[in-house]
Amino acid sequence: MASIGFLGLFSAFLLGSPLYLLGRVFPPATSVADRILRRAIWTLMKVQPWFDGNVEIPANPGPVLIVSNHRSHLDAFILLSRVAGIRILAKDSLFRVPFLGIMMRLMHQIPVKSGQMESYFEAMEVVKARLSRGETVHVFPELTRCPPGFRGTLKFSVLPFQAAIQQNAKILPVVFKGTDLAWSKGTLGISWRAPIVARALEPVDPAAFSSALELKNAVQHRIDQALS
């Protein structure tokens, strides 16, 4: 935990924050800050003695919409440690956590209010705008973490897939296995070296589907198959 505090403070606030602020007037600085934060979080994950992860996610997937199942808070950390500049749709309560909230805003993460569909619709407009600018955006279409040990996936929202179709953005499905065993929903403790797998599947072209519902069902089926 000391390593998390030291490296997090050093990379995020001493290096990342000034560069993100500079990026408001000099955009290339934001890309530098994104790479620093990715490397710092990757280092944090590597030095944790409890972490036993097999991660196969491309570091530079390009302007795609990443969608995945959601099993643990670890899912987001793994994504941030692998993909520089990823923008994740996250519940707005995280943006009110001291220090963390500041960094999430500087990193241009996307807030959404839990349980409020109007906020979710507004967030989808932000997702579309980010995709149109060529950013890598991630959405958990289940909208919540599944219960520990749950098999398969919960119901997917169709809205992220509609956004992908409207922006003609390819979808990169990602599968998380075992993160709920390492850090379960509703618990503070982390299990020692629970095996974790995070794997990207083949990209999906939304142009090959006649509707957002058909696209959603196809992507969810692929993720479910990879989980079985």
Side-chain angles (χ1 to χ4, degrees), residues 164-195:
I165 288 177
Q166 291 172 348
Q167 295 301 318
N168 194 29
K170 287 190 175 181
I171 291 178
L172 182 67
V174 169
V175 175
F176 289 104
K177 293 183 181 181
T179 52
D180 54 322
L181 302 179
W183 188 358
S184 298
K185 181 178 182 178
T187 65
L188 296 177
I190 296 176
S191 299
W192 183 266
R193 297 192 70 79

mmCIF file of all heavy atoms in Angstrom, residues 164-195:
data_model
loop_
_atom_site.group_PDB
_atom_site.id
_atom_site.type_symbol
_atom_site.label_atom_id
_atom_site.label_comp_id
_atom_site.label_asym_id
_atom_site.label_seq_id
_atom_site.Cartn_x
_atom_site.Cartn_y
_atom_site.Cartn_z
ATOM 1 N N ALA A 164 -22.024 3.631 -31.022
ATOM 2 C CA ALA A 164 -21.003 3.111 -31.935
ATOM 3 C C ALA A 164 -21.494 3.131 -33.377
ATOM 4 O O ALA A 164 -20.747 3.492 -34.298
ATOM 5 C CB ALA A 164 -20.614 1.696 -31.523
ATOM 6 N N ILE A 165 -22.746 2.751 -33.582
ATOM 7 C CA ILE A 165 -23.315 2.763 -34.932
ATOM 8 C C ILE A 165 -23.388 4.188 -35.466
ATOM 9 O O ILE A 165 -23.014 4.458 -36.621
ATOM 10 C CB ILE A 165 -24.710 2.105 -34.934
ATOM 11 C CG1 ILE A 165 -24.576 0.590 -34.753
ATOM 12 C CG2 ILE A 165 -25.454 2.419 -36.218
ATOM 13 C CD1 ILE A 165 -25.905 -0.137 -34.678
ATOM 14 N N GLN A 166 -23.832 5.123 -34.636
ATOM 15 C CA GLN A 166 -23.988 6.496 -35.087
ATOM 16 C C GLN A 166 -22.650 7.143 -35.437
ATOM 17 O O GLN A 166 -22.580 8.000 -36.319
ATOM 18 C CB GLN A 166 -24.718 7.309 -34.015
ATOM 19 C CG GLN A 166 -26.176 6.909 -33.853
ATOM 20 C CD GLN A 166 -26.852 7.584 -32.669
ATOM 21 O OE1 GLN A 166 -26.190 8.194 -31.829
ATOM 22 N NE2 GLN A 166 -28.167 7.493 -32.607
ATOM 23 N N GLN A 167 -21.582 6.718 -34.743
ATOM 24 C CA GLN A 167 -20.254 7.287 -35.006
ATOM 25 C C GLN A 167 -19.410 6.390 -35.903
ATOM 26 O O GLN A 167 -18.256 6.710 -36.181
ATOM 27 C CB GLN A 167 -19.516 7.520 -33.674
ATOM 28 C CG GLN A 167 -20.154 8.552 -32.782
ATOM 29 C CD GLN A 167 -20.249 9.904 -33.454
ATOM 30 O OE1 GLN A 167 -19.308 10.352 -34.124
ATOM 31 N NE2 GLN A 167 -21.381 10.576 -33.308
ATOM 32 N N ASN A 168 -19.995 5.266 -36.337
ATOM 33 C CA ASN A 168 -19.263 4.298 -37.154
ATOM 34 C C ASN A 168 -17.931 3.924 -36.490
ATOM 35 O O ASN A 168 -16.875 3.875 -37.134
ATOM 36 C CB ASN A 168 -19.016 4.834 -38.568
ATOM 37 C CG ASN A 168 -18.576 3.743 -39.535
ATOM 38 O OD1 ASN A 168 -18.929 2.579 -39.376
ATOM 39 N ND2 ASN A 168 -17.782 4.110 -40.529
ATOM 40 N N ALA A 169 -17.997 3.674 -35.182
ATOM 41 C CA ALA A 169 -16.812 3.348 -34.395
ATOM 42 C C ALA A 169 -16.760 1.846 -34.137
ATOM 43 O O ALA A 169 -17.750 1.258 -33.701
ATOM 44 C CB ALA A 169 -16.838 4.094 -33.062
ATOM 45 N N LYS A 170 -15.629 1.243 -34.409
ATOM 46 C CA LYS A 170 -15.484 -0.179 -34.134
ATOM 47 C C LYS A 170 -15.550 -0.440 -32.632
ATOM 48 O O LYS A 170 -15.184 0.414 -31.817
ATOM 49 C CB LYS A 170 -14.169 -0.711 -34.703
ATOM 50 C CG LYS A 170 -14.191 -0.824 -36.217
ATOM 51 C CD LYS A 170 -12.979 -1.583 -36.732
ATOM 52 C CE LYS A 170 -13.080 -1.788 -38.236
ATOM 53 N NZ LYS A 170 -11.922 -2.552 -38.766
ATOM 54 N N ILE A 171 -16.023 -1.624 -32.281
ATOM 55 C CA ILE A 171 -16.140 -2.024 -30.886
ATOM 56 C C ILE A 171 -15.072 -3.062 -30.585
ATOM 57 O O ILE A 171 -14.889 -4.021 -31.346
ATOM 58 C CB ILE A 171 -17.538 -2.597 -30.591
ATOM 59 C CG1 ILE A 171 -18.590 -1.485 -30.662
ATOM 60 C CG2 ILE A 171 -17.577 -3.269 -29.220
ATOM 61 C CD1 ILE A 171 -20.000 -1.961 -30.426
ATOM 62 N N LEU A 172 -14.368 -2.869 -29.477
ATOM 63 C CA LEU A 172 -13.386 -3.849 -29.004
ATOM 64 C C LEU A 172 -13.930 -4.488 -27.737
ATOM 65 O O LEU A 172 -13.910 -3.878 -26.669
ATOM 66 C CB LEU A 172 -12.045 -3.175 -28.721
ATOM 67 C CG LEU A 172 -10.922 -4.116 -28.275
ATOM 68 C CD1 LEU A 172 -10.530 -5.068 -29.414
ATOM 69 C CD2 LEU A 172 -9.707 -3.321 -27.805
ATOM 70 N N PRO A 173 -14.452 -5.726 -27.819
ATOM 71 C CA PRO A 173 -14.939 -6.395 -26.609
ATOM 72 C C PRO A 173 -13.764 -6.843 -25.737
ATOM 73 O O PRO A 173 -12.751 -7.341 -26.244
ATOM 74 C CB PRO A 173 -15.717 -7.605 -27.146
ATOM 75 C CG PRO A 173 -15.871 -7.370 -28.620
ATOM 76 C CD PRO A 173 -14.707 -6.532 -29.020
ATOM 77 N N VAL A 174 -13.902 -6.667 -24.436
ATOM 78 C CA VAL A 174 -12.889 -7.110 -23.478
ATOM 79 C C VAL A 174 -13.569 -7.965 -22.419
ATOM 80 O O VAL A 174 -14.660 -7.633 -21.944
ATOM 81 C CB VAL A 174 -12.164 -5.915 -22.828
ATOM 82 C CG1 VAL A 174 -11.312 -6.364 -21.637
ATOM 83 C CG2 VAL A 174 -11.289 -5.201 -23.854
ATOM 84 N N VAL A 175 -12.904 -9.054 -22.043
ATOM 85 C CA VAL A 175 -13.453 -9.993 -21.064
ATOM 86 C C VAL A 175 -12.600 -9.968 -19.808
ATOM 87 O O VAL A 175 -11.365 -10.077 -19.875
ATOM 88 C CB VAL A 175 -13.484 -11.427 -21.641
ATOM 89 C CG1 VAL A 175 -13.948 -12.413 -20.583
ATOM 90 C CG2 VAL A 175 -14.383 -11.491 -22.864
ATOM 91 N N PHE A 176 -13.258 -9.812 -18.647
ATOM 92 C CA PHE A 176 -12.580 -9.896 -17.356
ATOM 93 C C PHE A 176 -13.016 -11.177 -16.645
ATOM 94 O O PHE A 176 -14.214 -11.438 -16.518
ATOM 95 C CB PHE A 176 -12.925 -8.691 -16.469
ATOM 96 C CG PHE A 176 -12.304 -7.405 -16.934
ATOM 97 C CD1 PHE A 176 -13.067 -6.441 -17.577
ATOM 98 C CD2 PHE A 176 -10.953 -7.158 -16.737
ATOM 99 C CE1 PHE A 176 -12.503 -5.252 -18.013
ATOM 100 C CE2 PHE A 176 -10.374 -5.973 -17.168
ATOM 101 C CZ PHE A 176 -11.152 -5.021 -17.807
ATOM 102 N N LYS A 177 -12.035 -11.954 -16.189
ATOM 103 C CA LYS A 177 -12.306 -13.150 -15.404
ATOM 104 C C LYS A 177 -11.512 -13.076 -14.106
ATOM 105 O O LYS A 177 -10.329 -12.734 -14.108
ATOM 106 C CB LYS A 177 -11.873 -14.420 -16.157
ATOM 107 C CG LYS A 177 -12.654 -14.750 -17.407
ATOM 108 C CD LYS A 177 -12.142 -16.070 -17.981
ATOM 109 C CE LYS A 177 -12.876 -16.450 -19.247
ATOM 110 N NZ LYS A 177 -12.378 -17.751 -19.798
ATOM 111 N N GLY A 178 -12.167 -13.392 -13.002
ATOM 112 C CA GLY A 178 -11.473 -13.517 -11.730
ATOM 113 C C GLY A 178 -11.248 -12.236 -10.961
ATOM 114 O O GLY A 178 -10.806 -12.282 -9.813
ATOM 115 N N THR A 179 -11.545 -11.082 -11.549
ATOM 116 C CA THR A 179 -11.327 -9.844 -10.800
ATOM 117 C C THR A 179 -12.276 -9.738 -9.609
ATOM 118 O O THR A 179 -11.956 -9.109 -8.602
ATOM 119 C CB THR A 179 -11.495 -8.607 -11.709
ATOM 120 O OG1 THR A 179 -12.751 -8.677 -12.391
ATOM 121 C CG2 THR A 179 -10.379 -8.528 -12.735
ATOM 122 N N ASP A 180 -13.452 -10.386 -9.728
ATOM 123 C CA ASP A 180 -14.393 -10.388 -8.605
ATOM 124 C C ASP A 180 -13.898 -11.266 -7.467
ATOM 125 O O ASP A 180 -14.295 -11.083 -6.309
ATOM 126 C CB ASP A 180 -15.775 -10.858 -9.053
ATOM 127 C CG ASP A 180 -15.743 -12.199 -9.752
ATOM 128 O OD1 ASP A 180 -14.788 -12.452 -10.507
ATOM 129 O OD2 ASP A 180 -16.672 -13.000 -9.559
ATOM 130 N N LEU A 181 -13.039 -12.238 -7.764
ATOM 131 C CA LEU A 181 -12.465 -13.077 -6.716
ATOM 132 C C LEU A 181 -11.297 -12.377 -6.025
ATOM 133 O O LEU A 181 -11.019 -12.625 -4.854
ATOM 134 C CB LEU A 181 -11.999 -14.409 -7.309
ATOM 135 C CG LEU A 181 -13.083 -15.223 -8.024
ATOM 136 C CD1 LEU A 181 -12.491 -16.508 -8.590
ATOM 137 C CD2 LEU A 181 -14.239 -15.538 -7.077
ATOM 138 N N ALA A 182 -10.607 -11.495 -6.774
ATOM 139 C CA ALA A 182 -9.500 -10.749 -6.192
ATOM 140 C C ALA A 182 -9.991 -9.573 -5.350
ATOM 141 O O ALA A 182 -9.460 -9.294 -4.277
ATOM 142 C CB ALA A 182 -8.575 -10.242 -7.298
ATOM 143 N N TRP A 183 -11.013 -8.882 -5.851
ATOM 144 C CA TRP A 183 -11.572 -7.728 -5.120
ATOM 145 C C TRP A 183 -13.074 -7.736 -5.347
ATOM 146 O O TRP A 183 -13.579 -7.200 -6.320
ATOM 147 C CB TRP A 183 -10.947 -6.438 -5.634
ATOM 148 C CG TRP A 183 -11.303 -5.217 -4.835
ATOM 149 C CD1 TRP A 183 -12.133 -5.137 -3.757
ATOM 150 C CD2 TRP A 183 -10.831 -3.876 -5.075
ATOM 151 N NE1 TRP A 183 -12.226 -3.845 -3.305
ATOM 152 C CE2 TRP A 183 -11.431 -3.062 -4.087
ATOM 153 C CE3 TRP A 183 -9.983 -3.320 -6.007
ATOM 154 C CZ2 TRP A 183 -11.184 -1.692 -4.034
ATOM 155 C CZ3 TRP A 183 -9.745 -1.950 -5.949
ATOM 156 C CH2 TRP A 183 -10.332 -1.153 -4.973
ATOM 157 N N SER A 184 -13.804 -8.367 -4.441
ATOM 158 C CA SER A 184 -15.232 -8.592 -4.607
ATOM 159 C C SER A 184 -16.041 -7.333 -4.361
ATOM 160 O O SER A 184 -15.643 -6.458 -3.575
ATOM 161 C CB SER A 184 -15.712 -9.698 -3.659
ATOM 162 O OG SER A 184 -15.067 -10.916 -3.947
ATOM 163 N N LYS A 185 -17.188 -7.249 -5.012
ATOM 164 C CA LYS A 185 -18.117 -6.147 -4.811
ATOM 165 C C LYS A 185 -18.574 -6.123 -3.354
ATOM 166 O O LYS A 185 -18.938 -7.152 -2.783
ATOM 167 C CB LYS A 185 -19.327 -6.316 -5.730
ATOM 168 C CG LYS A 185 -20.355 -5.214 -5.630
ATOM 169 C CD LYS A 185 -21.484 -5.436 -6.619
ATOM 170 C CE LYS A 185 -22.508 -4.323 -6.566
ATOM 171 N NZ LYS A 185 -23.594 -4.510 -7.550
ATOM 172 N N GLY A 186 -18.522 -4.947 -2.743
ATOM 173 C CA GLY A 186 -18.974 -4.798 -1.371
ATOM 174 C C GLY A 186 -17.939 -5.139 -0.320
ATOM 175 O O GLY A 186 -18.242 -5.147 0.873
ATOM 176 N N THR A 187 -16.690 -5.438 -0.728
ATOM 177 C CA THR A 187 -15.637 -5.761 0.237
ATOM 178 C C THR A 187 -14.475 -4.796 0.089
ATOM 179 O O THR A 187 -14.235 -4.242 -0.992
ATOM 180 C CB THR A 187 -15.116 -7.193 0.047
ATOM 181 O OG1 THR A 187 -14.466 -7.300 -1.228
ATOM 182 C CG2 THR A 187 -16.247 -8.202 0.128
ATOM 183 N N LEU A 188 -13.730 -4.612 1.166
ATOM 184 C CA LEU A 188 -12.545 -3.765 1.140
ATOM 185 C C LEU A 188 -11.270 -4.584 0.985
ATOM 186 O O LEU A 188 -10.256 -4.085 0.513
ATOM 187 C CB LEU A 188 -12.462 -2.937 2.437
ATOM 188 C CG LEU A 188 -13.593 -1.923 2.659
ATOM 189 C CD1 LEU A 188 -13.417 -1.245 4.002
ATOM 190 C CD2 LEU A 188 -13.617 -0.885 1.538
ATOM 191 N N GLY A 189 -11.324 -5.845 1.391
ATOM 192 C CA GLY A 189 -10.149 -6.692 1.340
ATOM 193 C C GLY A 189 -9.858 -7.214 -0.053
ATOM 194 O O GLY A 189 -10.753 -7.366 -0.887
ATOM 195 N N ILE A 190 -8.576 -7.481 -0.313
ATOM 196 C CA ILE A 190 -8.135 -8.023 -1.595
ATOM 197 C C ILE A 190 -7.593 -9.427 -1.371
ATOM 198 O O ILE A 190 -6.759 -9.649 -0.486
ATOM 199 C CB ILE A 190 -7.060 -7.124 -2.228
ATOM 200 C CG1 ILE A 190 -7.666 -5.752 -2.555
ATOM 201 C CG2 ILE A 190 -6.481 -7.758 -3.478
ATOM 202 C CD1 ILE A 190 -6.665 -4.751 -3.091
ATOM 203 N N SER A 191 -8.071 -10.381 -2.161
ATOM 204 C CA SER A 191 -7.633 -11.764 -2.021
ATOM 205 C C SER A 191 -6.225 -11.926 -2.581
ATOM 206 O O SER A 191 -5.869 -11.320 -3.599
ATOM 207 C CB SER A 191 -8.590 -12.717 -2.748
ATOM 208 O OG SER A 191 -9.884 -12.622 -2.211
ATOM 209 N N TRP A 192 -5.449 -12.780 -1.944
ATOM 210 C CA TRP A 192 -4.044 -12.943 -2.293
ATOM 211 C C TRP A 192 -3.886 -13.765 -3.563
ATOM 212 O O TRP A 192 -4.232 -14.930 -3.605
ATOM 213 C CB TRP A 192 -3.300 -13.603 -1.138
ATOM 214 C CG TRP A 192 -1.832 -13.748 -1.378
ATOM 215 C CD1 TRP A 192 -1.178 -14.830 -1.885
ATOM 216 C CD2 TRP A 192 -0.835 -12.764 -1.124
ATOM 217 N NE1 TRP A 192 0.162 -14.589 -1.976
ATOM 218 C CE2 TRP A 192 0.405 -13.319 -1.503
ATOM 219 C CE3 TRP A 192 -0.865 -11.456 -0.620
ATOM 220 C CZ2 TRP A 192 1.618 -12.618 -1.390
ATOM 221 C CZ3 TRP A 192 0.339 -10.778 -0.503
ATOM 222 C CH2 TRP A 192 1.550 -11.357 -0.877
ATOM 223 N N ARG A 193 -3.370 -13.145 -4.616
ATOM 224 C CA ARG A 193 -2.995 -13.794 -5.861
ATOM 225 C C ARG A 193 -4.106 -14.651 -6.467
ATOM 226 O O ARG A 193 -3.876 -15.757 -6.980
ATOM 227 C CB ARG A 193 -1.714 -14.610 -5.684
ATOM 228 C CG ARG A 193 -0.516 -13.747 -5.309
ATOM 229 C CD ARG A 193 0.789 -14.487 -5.418
ATOM 230 N NE ARG A 193 1.156 -14.758 -6.810
ATOM 231 C CZ ARG A 193 1.694 -13.854 -7.626
ATOM 232 N NH1 ARG A 193 1.887 -12.598 -7.211
ATOM 233 N NH2 ARG A 193 2.025 -14.178 -8.850
ATOM 234 N N ALA A 194 -5.328 -14.157 -6.403
ATOM 235 C CA ALA A 194 -6.412 -14.807 -7.148
ATOM 236 C C ALA A 194 -6.120 -14.634 -8.632
ATOM 237 O O ALA A 194 -5.816 -13.527 -9.079
ATOM 238 C CB ALA A 194 -7.753 -14.170 -6.789
ATOM 239 N N PRO A 195 -6.169 -15.714 -9.411
ATOM 240 C CA PRO A 195 -5.823 -15.601 -10.839
ATOM 241 C C PRO A 195 -6.804 -14.718 -11.600
ATOM 242 O O PRO A 195 -8.021 -14.859 -11.466
ATOM 243 C CB PRO A 195 -5.871 -17.049 -11.333
ATOM 244 C CG PRO A 195 -6.752 -17.762 -10.348
ATOM 245 C CD PRO A 195 -6.540 -17.081 -9.033
#
